[in-house]
Each structure stands twice: as structure tokens, then as C-alpha cells.
């Protein structure tokens, strides 16, 4: 779901033959679309490539909310498979495209959904309006392939938007640029390159872009104000020209609206997926993560632990970002009780310690595996999630600590010198999940420069592309979706070695590369047992999937890329420890 490095411009590839946009019979145009007609009058005003800056107040409000609910939901929930991706794979296309005829979520209650989000401490909701399967979860007048054609015959987005507005919860909509179902969209499935993926004979990129704009106009006019439009591009739909048109078009409809970075243009905020973003204070970001193992509902799915969800939230805030946690409803419109129980644990924690999350900035210490910190006013909050010694010794702060409190209960001793800040907490008062220390300083701390802690992993590469400062090996472990390590141009094999600052007991690894289609075809991993290298696993399938293995304790890993088309790159190597 990440923006690729290689951009495909489809306008030149689209066939001249066009098919009319499929519309609901005799349906009137929504207020925002009145007068647009087939030629979409006013389109010219949306073609200005200049990116209008986001409303600072909207950005501040978005960041202050910190914790949001992501909802992937639609007819595919009847099959229990992944939304969009299973069309033509897990579920035959002919069957998938008819699921909506059985979709009748009679237990859907928008007020209940909002109450669940609020109890979990979530302050905004982003809901699927249209995924790449093309099915529309609102009463759109641009196609009959929408929720009003189901036995349900209600508009859940209308009801949810109204409930959010009544209860002070911000609402945003997810809108996928790709649409495998629509005749004007060029592809019927994932794009795997021009040799493998035929373009539909009915494809017309320009007319499809107009279709998108009409739908976006509906969403903003009839369901807003919206916090955001959460675009997703998917393989084969990264159109810089279209992205440049969509953003000013939306800004004209609602100046305060926020746009993420997945419309093939930078957008207002960054969206790392299934991992925590790096610390940054130059641009807002939001990590999207699943509570389970797939985005849409799955029977008997394995859920992330309370510890993992809590740490995702804490480290997102500590890095200056938000957490958008996906909790998928079932086909009948209700949430599984066990999922509600899990996020309620987070809500209970936030009721006690929310001052350290909501409305804060990340820092002043950049996150490390054992520590995340947040700040607001004259206060610094230290989230200590692991004690490696009796005292936590940190670099000095440029302001004086005048008071300290152990918010999680007990006593804390703080020693401040010109060279260090030392934190001591008796073992009996240390919390397994998060020992939370609040420091009061003698002045504001929000604008203090961020302080980097010693690196916990170093990476070396067998070769690096020039200029090395742009493609350095360290970029393969910096949690930054905008950086990557690369081997020299044309080199298809390479080796990366990771050295950890301490021994870690690890249980999974994910090799991420951002190019679509994925080009890595095989890699192997070794671990150091203290005297020699031991083979851990070989993967002869494409990357971008988590590989689980029996836990090993080591300070070094070695990754051999055995086969990668054109040039070896690594966007991120994600290693996960065993939970204590």
C-alpha cells in the first residue's frame, strides 16, 4: 500500500475506446455535483498543479487527536477474505462481484460504532468509502455498484458521519484510486507490468478521473466536513497528473480538508503501514496498523496483544505521529466482542494517562526501543518500556527539572547534571508495559531541538550506490518510507549485515521494498550464535511479507539478496522481538 519509486503514467497507455460511466437510473446529482454534467464543467480549475498548503489549524487538530479508528468493511466480509486483494484470487471475480447482493448488515448501528471508538480513546474515524474492488459504501449517484443496491438499502456512511458529527469525533474517508471493477479503469487486478497485465479495451483514464472527482464531490458535500480523504493508489494507479488535480479540487470544496501521501503527490501527511514511523517534526504522519492479520474481518483472526497496541500508540506519539488502528466489523455490522475488549484496554489506559498522548509533541528524546517521550507546555513524559540497568541515563536537557512524578504509581528519583539526566525507579514500581515519568521543567519544552539517543542497530552493505549519502545502508532501518538503501545500478545480488546494540530474541523479519511490482525474488537470512553464522531461513518468493520463525537470540543478522530484478534495494528491514 506504499507509494512506489517507479511511477506509471497511464494516460498515454489508455485506449481511445470509452464506455459511459455506470450511473444509478434517474438519480439526481448531489449538491456538489450539480451542473458538472458529462463534461464536468469547472474541471479546468482543478488542473492547477500548485499544491495549496494545508490549513495549519486542521493539521494541529489532526495531530492532537493522536489515535484513530480505521474501518475496512464491505460485502467481501461475507467471504472473510481480504478486502479487494482477494478478488480473482481467494474469491473468483464472478462470485466476488455478486457478494453485494447478499450483504445485509442488520446489526449496524452508527451510534454503537462511535461509542466503541470513544471508549477506546479514539478521537477520529477513517472508513472505507471505496476500495480497489470498486464497491461504494455510500449512496453514490455515479454507479449502481453501491450499498443502496444491497438488501440493506441504507447508507452506512451517512449514518456514521452524522453520528460522528453529533459526538465530536472527526471522520475521514478512504478512497482507492484504483478500481478493478469499473470499465473505465485500465486494469482488472494488480499491475504486474505491461507484458503481464492487459489494459481493458474500455479504459479511459481521463473519463475515469472525472468519475473520481464527481464521487469525491459527493463525499465532501454530503458527508462533511471531512477530516481527510485517505487515498490509496495500489499498483498500477500511481498517476502524478491525476494526483495533482485531485488535491486542489478537494481544497476548493473544503479548504480545511487533509490529504494523505498516497495520491502520487506528497500530500499533507505521511502514512507508514504496519510499522511505526521515524521521528519527524517537519511533517505530520500516521501509522496505519491492523488489530488482526488482515484489513477486513477474518474469522478466528489472531489479534495483536494489548502490549503491542499500546506500544504502537506510545511510540507513534513519541515520534510525532498518530496511530490509525484498523478494527474490522463483521458482515452483520457488529464488532467482535474480543476486539472491543482489546481496544477497551487501551481506552482504560488512556483514561488514566491520556495527558501524555493527546495534544503532545514527540520528543524531546527521539524514540529508542526502550523509551518514547512526549512533551506539552512545561512537561516532558518519559515512557520507559524496558529497563536495561538500575538507572536510565539520558543526554542532558537544556532546561532545569523542577519536579518529577511517577504517574504509574510509586517513587522516582531524578538526577540532573550538565552531562546527563538520570532516572531511577525502584524495581517494585517499574511497570511491565510502561513506566511513565512526568518531568516538570522551568520553562516551555515544545520547541527544544530533538535529542537523538545512541543507535540500537547499525547496518553495513556489501556495496552501495553513489552518492552513498543518498543510498546509505542505514536507511534500511530508519523507519522512514521516503528513504532506501540501494546497491550500485544494475547489481542484482547483495548482502546486508545488521548489528544490534544488545542481544535480542527475535521471531520475525520483513524485507520491505517500495517498488511496484515487487522486484525481489529470493533472499536468505543467517544469525550469529556467538561463534559462527547459522542459517535461519530462505525465502524464494517476493518480499514485503512477514516471515515468522522459531525465536533466536542474537546480536547480528545477515541478509543475502539472492535475486532482485535490475538493482537491489531495501526500503526497510523490520525485525520483531518476542514479547515478554
Amino acid at each position: 500500500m506504499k507509494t512506489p519509486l517507479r511511477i506509471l503514467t497511464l494516460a498515454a497507455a489508455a485506449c481511445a475506446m470509452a464506455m459511459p460511466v455506470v450511473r444509478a437510473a434517474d438519480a439526481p446529482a448531489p449538491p456538489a455535483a450539480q451542473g458538472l454534467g458529462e463534461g464536468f464543467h469547472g474541471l479546468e480549475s482543478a488542473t492547477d498543479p500548485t499544491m495549496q498548503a494545508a490549513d495549519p489549524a486542521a493539521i494541529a487538530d489532526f495531530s492532537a487527536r493522536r489515535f484513530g479508528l480505521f474501518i475496512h468493511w464491505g460485502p467481501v466480509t461475507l467471504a472473510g477474505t481480504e478486502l479487494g486483494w482477494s478478488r480473482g484470487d481467494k474469491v473468483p471475480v464472478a462470485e466476488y462481484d455478486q457478494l453485494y447482493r447478499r450483504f445485509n448488515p442488520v446489526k449496524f448501528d452508527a451510534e454503537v460504532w462511535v461509542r466503541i471508538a470513544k471508549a477506546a480513546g479514539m478521537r477520529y474515524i477513517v472508513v472505507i468509502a471505496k476500495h480497489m474492488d470498486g464497491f461504494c459504501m455510500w449512496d453514490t449517484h455515479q454507479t449502481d455498484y453501491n450499498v443502496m443496491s444491497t438488501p440493506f438499502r441504507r447508507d452506512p456512511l451517512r449514518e456514521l458521519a452524522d453520528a460522528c458529527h453529533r459526538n465530536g469525533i472527526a471522520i475521514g474517508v478512504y478512497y482507492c484510486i484504483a478500481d478493478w471493477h469499473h470499465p473505465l479503469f485500465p486494469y482488472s487486478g494488480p499491475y504486474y507490468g505491461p507484458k503481464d497485465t492487459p489494459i481493458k479495451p474500455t479504459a479511459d483514464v481521463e473519463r475515469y478521473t472525472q468519475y473520481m472527482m464527481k464521487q469525491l464531490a459527493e463525499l465532501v458535500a454530503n458527508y462533511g466536513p471531512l477530516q481527510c480523504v485517505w487515498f490509496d493508489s495500489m499498483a498500477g494507479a500511481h498517476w502524478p497528473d491525476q494526483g495533482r488535480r485531485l488535491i486542489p479540487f478537494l481544497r476548493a470544496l473544503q479548504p480545511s480538508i487533509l490529504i494523505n501521501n498516497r495520491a502520487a503527490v506528497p500530500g499533507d501527511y505521511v502514512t507508514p503501514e504496519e510499522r511505526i514511523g521515524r521521528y519527524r517534526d517537519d511533517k505530520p504522519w500516521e501509522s496505519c496498523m491492523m488489530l488482526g492479520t488482515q484489513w477486513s474481518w477474518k474469522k478466528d483472526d489472531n489479534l495483536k496483544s494489548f502490549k503491542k497496541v499500546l506500544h504502537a500508540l506510545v511510540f507513534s506519539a513519541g515520534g510525532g505521529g498518530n496511530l490509525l488502528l484498523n478494527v474490522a466489523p463483521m458482515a452483520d455490522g457488529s464488532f467482535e466482542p474480543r476486539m472491543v475488549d482489546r481496544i477497551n484496554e487501551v481506552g482504560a489506559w488512556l483514561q488514566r494517562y491520556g495527558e501524555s498522548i493527546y495534544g503532545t509533541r514527540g520528543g524531546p528524546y527521539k524514540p529508542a526501543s526502550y523509551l518514547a517521550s512526549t512533551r506539552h507546555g512545561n512537561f516532558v513524559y518519559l515512557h520507559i518500556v524496558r529497563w536495561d540497568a538500575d538507572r536510565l541515563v539520558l543526554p542532558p536537557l537544556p532546561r532545569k527539572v523542577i519536579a518529577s512524578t511517577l504517574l504509574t504509581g510509586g517513587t522516582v528519583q531524578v538526577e540532573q547534571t550538565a552531562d546527563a539526566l538520570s532516572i531511577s525507579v525502584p524495581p517494585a514500581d517499574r511497570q511491565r508495559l510502561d513506566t511513565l515519568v512526568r518531568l516538570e521543567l522551568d520553562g516551555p519544552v515544545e520547541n527544544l531541538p530533538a535529542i537523538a539517543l545512541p543507535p540500537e542497530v547499525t547496518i553495513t552493505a556489501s556495496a552501495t550506490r553513489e552518492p552513498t549519502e543518498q543510498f546509505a545502508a542505514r536507511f534500511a532501518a530508519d523507519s522512514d518510507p521516503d528513504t532506501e538503501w540501494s546497491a550500485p545500478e544494475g547489481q542484482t545480488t547483495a548482502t546486508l549485515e545488521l548489528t544490534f546494540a544488545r542481544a535480542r530474541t527475535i521471531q520475525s523479519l520483513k524485507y520491505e521494498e517500495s517498488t511496484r511490482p515487487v522486484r525481489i525474488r529470493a533472499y536468505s537470512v543467517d544469525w550469529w550464535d556467538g561463534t559462527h553464522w547459522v542459517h535461519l531461513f530462505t525465502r524464494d518468493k517476493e518480499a514485503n511479507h512477514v516471515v515468522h520463525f522459531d525465536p533466536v537470540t542474537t546480536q547480528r543478522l545477515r541478509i543475502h539478496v539472492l535475486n532482485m530484478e535490475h538493482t537491489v534495494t531495501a526500503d526497510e528491514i523490520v525485525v520483531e522481538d518476542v514479547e515478554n
Side-chain angles (χ1 to χ4, degrees):
M1 290 173 66
K2 218 168 139 179
T3 302
L5 299 176
R6 295 191 296 186
I7 301 297
L8 175 67
T9 302
L10 297 179
C15 297
M17 182 185 298
M19 176 175 286
V21 173
V22 181
R23 301 179 187 277
D26 303 320
Q34 292 287 351
L36 295 180
E38 289 296 331
F40 205 178
H41 302 301
L43 186 64
E44 294 79 5
S45 65
T47 59
D48 184 357
T50 302
M51 286 273 297
Q52 180 183 346
D55 178 7
I59 289 288
D61 178 75
F62 168 75
S63 295
R65 293 179 184 267
R66 282 294 178 237
F67 191 25
L69 172 63
F70 211 2
I71 296 176
H72 282 62
W73 187 50
V76 72
T77 312
L78 292 164
T81 56
E82 189 59 273
L83 181 54
W85 286 112
S86 56
R87 182 180 185 267
D89 182 14
K90 303 296 184 183
V91 183
V93 170
E95 178 184 345
Y96 190 103
D97 289 351
Q98 297 301 313
L99 287 171
Y100 76 99
R101 297 185 183 277
R102 296 189 288 115
F103 186 59
N104 191 20
V106 294
K107 293 185 179 180
F108 168 74
D109 187 326
E111 286 288 342
V112 170
W113 282 24
V114 170
R115 286 201 298 270
I116 288 172
K118 293 185 74 170
M122 296 163 166
R123 296 192 169 179
Y124 64 100
I125 294 175
V126 177
V127 63
I128 300 297
K130 179 177 78 74
H131 211 283
M132 59 186 155
D133 63 357
F135 188 80
C136 300
M137 290 294 291
W138 81 97
D139 185 11
T140 178
H141 296 284
Q142 311 308 320
T143 175
D144 287 327
Y145 194 50
N146 72 69
V147 71
M148 302 306 289
S149 298
T150 69
F152 190 52
R153 295 195 62 80
R154 283 163 50 191
D155 185 344
L157 182 55
R158 166 82 283 143
E159 297 176 30
L160 183 60
D162 288 347
C164 286
H165 296 322
R166 283 192 299 268
N167 290 277
I169 297 288
I171 184 168
V173 295
Y174 170 111
Y175 187 92
C176 193
I177 293 175
D179 189 329
W180 296 345
H181 179 270
H182 201 285
L184 295 177
F185 185 76
Y187 301 114
S188 296
Y191 175 76
Y192 293 119
K195 294 181 180 179
D196 303 318
T197 307
I199 294 176
K200 296 173 188 172
T202 56
D204 188 324
V205 170
E206 177 57 31
R207 294 187 66 194
Y208 179 71
T209 301
Q210 294 181 9
Y211 167 80
M212 288 195 296
M213 286 181 162
K214 293 177 184 180
Q215 289 204 317
L216 291 168
E218 289 181 350
L219 291 167
V220 174
N222 297 342
Y223 302 88
L226 298 177
Q227 174 184 257
C228 68
V229 172
W230 210 103
F231 282 116
D232 218 355
S233 299
M234 297 299 157
H238 296 272
W239 310 334
D241 292 340
Q242 281 70 17
R244 292 188 188 102
R245 292 162 66 177
L246 294 177
I247 292 180
F249 174 71
L250 286 165
R251 287 270 201 270
L253 295 173
Q254 182 189 315
S256 64
I257 202 164
L258 301 181
I259 315 295
N260 70 341
N261 66 325
R262 300 195 184 200
V265 288
D268 302 317
Y269 61 98
V270 180
T271 54
E273 182 174 326
E274 274 296 285
R275 60 182 169 88
I276 306 304
R278 69 172 175 87
Y279 177 92
R280 62 188 303 172
D281 46 28
D282 60 326
K283 191 165 191 174
W285 58 268
E286 172 192 71
S287 283
C288 55
M289 300 185 71
M290 300 177 282
L291 180 60
T293 61
Q294 72 176 31
W295 294 101
S296 49
W297 179 78
K298 177 181 179 181
K299 184 179 180 181
D300 299 325
D301 200 3
N302 292 320
L303 305 185
K304 288 182 171 65
S305 66
F306 168 49
K307 175 183 178 181
K308 186 166 290 186
V309 176
L310 177 62
H311 285 185
L313 175 60
V314 165
F315 279 87
S316 291
N322 291 13
L323 176 64
L324 184 62
L325 182 67
N326 186 77
V327 184
M330 295 185 288
D332 64 6
S334 66
F335 287 93
E336 276 195 65
R338 66 192 183 110
M339 294 184 178
V340 175
D341 290 344
R342 179 56 39 82
I343 61 176
N344 278 347
E345 292 181 276
V346 183
W349 186 92
L350 283 167
Q351 281 196 340
R352 299 185 66 182
Y353 311 118
E355 66 176 271
S356 69
I357 302 295
Y358 302 123
T360 63
R361 287 192 63 194
Y365 296 107
K366 295 182 179 181
S369 65
Y370 53 89
L371 174 74
S373 65
T374 56
R375 48 183 159 164
H376 180 67
N378 291 9
F379 293 99
V380 170
Y381 300 90
L382 301 178
H383 297 265
I384 307 167
V385 301
R386 191 183 74 245
W387 293 86
D388 291 333
D390 289 337
R391 292 191 307 160
L392 174 63
V393 180
L394 300 171
L397 289 172
R399 289 194 177 278
K400 182 180 179 181
V401 177
I402 60 175
S404 59
T405 306
L406 190 61
L407 293 182
T408 44
T411 61
V412 58
Q413 182 178 353
V414 177
E415 181 181 347
Q416 186 176 25
T417 68
D419 300 320
L421 180 72
S422 298
I423 311 293
S424 299
V425 172
D429 293 336
R430 299 174 191 171
Q431 303 298 309
R432 183 177 66 87
L433 296 180
D434 184 357
T435 304
L436 181 52
V437 177
R438 182 179 66 194
L439 305 177
E440 183 177 359
L441 282 74
D442 63 354
V445 296
E446 293 189 10
N447 293 323
L448 297 179
I451 302 169
L453 299 175
E456 296 183 280
V457 58
T458 56
I459 302 184
T460 58
S462 57
T464 299
R465 181 179 178 180
E466 296 287 347
T468 55
E469 62 271 16
Q470 181 178 345
F471 299 102
R474 69 177 182 275
F475 294 137
D478 66 349
S479 295
D480 187 346
D482 297 326
T483 63
E484 67 170 1
W485 162 77
S486 177
E489 184 76 16
Q491 183 171 315
T492 59
T493 62
T495 298
L496 288 167
E497 187 171 323
L498 286 67
T499 302
F500 306 115
R502 63 179 181 87
R504 295 173 57 180
T505 302
I506 59 176
Q507 64 180 355
S508 71
L509 181 143
K510 183 181 182 183
Y511 189 114
E512 293 185 359
E513 60 132 335
S514 57
T515 305
R516 299 294 185 273
V518 174
R519 296 175 295 116
I520 189 167
R521 293 292 175 260
Y523 69 96
S524 67
V525 179
D526 305 327
W527 66 283
W528 182 254
D529 71 354
T531 57
H532 60 282
W533 291 104
V534 181
H535 180 68
L536 186 57
F537 70 86
T538 297
R539 182 173 176 84
D540 57 2
K541 301 177 182 178
E542 65 181 32
N544 284 17
H545 293 276
V546 177
V547 178
H548 296 275
F549 42 79
D550 292 336
V552 296
T553 301
T554 185
Q555 281 192 262
R556 296 168 67 189
L557 288 178
R558 188 170 62 184
I559 301 170
H560 304 284
V561 180
L562 306 174
N563 182 13
M564 189 168 188
E565 293 180 6
H566 183 60
T567 301
V568 179
T569 63
D571 184 75
E572 202 73 22
I573 306 296
V574 182
V575 178
E576 187 171 285
D577 291 2
V578 173
E579 286 195 50
N580 296 322

